């Protein structure tokens, strides 16, 4: 007897059943079929359904975005890889939030808890680790020219978010560029920047004293742009390199 083309075959999954979906089975029911696959108890089946979801415009895209919060890292990673190239604003925000949570969770928790000094130290650590350097090694300005944009933007956005826009590389960038346009001599730019963000001290006893890490104010009462400081081995020269790299990444 010839099987009707409208009837499910032996390898097809019929919507409404309660069994586990066989891997590689043909899914009936369009978007509803994709949704059902995304409820499978097997992570590999949920991950395999994600590319098919993208065939269903915004509704399918929303399913993939939701999968960034799946309980399985396998599904999360699959969704992340599918969404990386998308430039739609809501997708970009979702991907950035996922990346921050997945790779900068500790920094995010420190900033959320207003633990500014520990967050500053953690920022230095993660930037050094990005290059395979130890925590006591300096990160040279020439290395920062190739610092991954995604990581630099993520760190900056976390600082901006939890300081209500007072701290972060973007804040330092705006201040630096102001003085870079104003002064021809680079040393004048460095000094003006340091004075503005509170990295130099002027008093009767010590004039033009460049602060060390132990003298930094780890509080929201600090001048705008005061943090991140990143420790004595980063220094003002590194700030210029970070500012320039962030400018490249924001173009």
């Amino acid at each position: 007897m010839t099987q009707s083309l409208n009837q499910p075959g032996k390898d097809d999954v019929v919507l409404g059943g309660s069994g586990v979906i066989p891997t590689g089975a043909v899914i009936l029911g369009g978007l509803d079929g994709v949704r059902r696959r995304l409820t499978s108890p097997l992570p590999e089946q949920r991950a395999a359904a994600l590319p098919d979801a993208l065939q269903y415009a915004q509704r399918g895209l929303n399913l993939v975005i939701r999968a960034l919060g799946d309980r399985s890292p396998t599904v999360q990673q699959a969704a992340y890889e599918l969404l990386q190239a998308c430039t739609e604003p809501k997708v970009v925000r979702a991907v950035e939030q996922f990346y921050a949570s997945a790779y900068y969770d500790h920094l995010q928790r420190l900033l959320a808890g207003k633990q500014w000094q520990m967050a500053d130290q953690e920022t230095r650590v993660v930037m050094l680790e990005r290059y395979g350097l130890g925590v006591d090694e300096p990160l040279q300005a020439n290395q920062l020219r190739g610092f991954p944009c995604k990581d630099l933007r993520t760190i900056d956005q976390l600082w901006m978010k939890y300081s209500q826009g007072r701290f972060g590389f973007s804040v330092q960038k705006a201040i630096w560029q102001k003085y870079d346009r104003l002064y021809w001599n680079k040393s004048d730019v460095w000094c003006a920047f340091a004075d503005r963000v509170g990295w130099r001290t002027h008093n009767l006893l010590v004039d033009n004293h460049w602060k060390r890490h132990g003298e930094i104010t780890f509080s929201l009462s600090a001048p705008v742009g005061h943090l991140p400081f990143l420790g004595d081995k980063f220094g003002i020269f590194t700030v210029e390199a970070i500012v320039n790299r962030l400018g490249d990444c924001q173009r």
Side-chain angles (χ1 to χ4, degrees), residues 131-197:
Y131 279 97
L133 299 174
V135 295
D136 293 324
E137 297 181 72
L139 185 58
Q140 304 296 334
N142 63 338
Q143 293 173 303
L144 285 163
R145 295 190 190 105
F147 198 86
C149 286
K150 183 183 298 182
D151 295 87
L152 193 61
R153 286 195 301 263
T154 298
I155 294 169
D156 179 47
Q157 288 163 6
L158 289 174
W159 274 96
M160 291 280 288
K161 174 182 177 180
Y162 291 106
S163 69
Q164 290 81 53
R166 292 187 61 83
F167 304 144
F169 296 138
S170 288
V171 180
Q172 294 173 346
K173 172 174 169 281
I175 297 170
W176 178 273
Q177 289 181 334
K178 172 186 175 181
Y179 294 118
D180 198 32
R181 289 189 295 265
L182 186 61
Y183 297 111
W184 177 81
N185 188 302
K186 188 64 71 174
S187 64
D188 290 337
V189 181
W190 293 332
C191 291
F193 173 86
D195 289 342
R196 177 65 181 79
V197 302

Side-chain angles (χ1 to χ4, degrees), residues 225-250:
H226 194 67
L227 299 173
F229 180 74
L230 304 181
D232 302 326
K233 292 188 178 181
F234 270 66
I236 194 73
F237 303 103
T238 310
V239 169
E240 182 180 11
I242 291 175
V243 163
N244 291 336
R245 181 56 178 161
L246 186 61
D248 293 338
C249 293
Q250 292 176 335

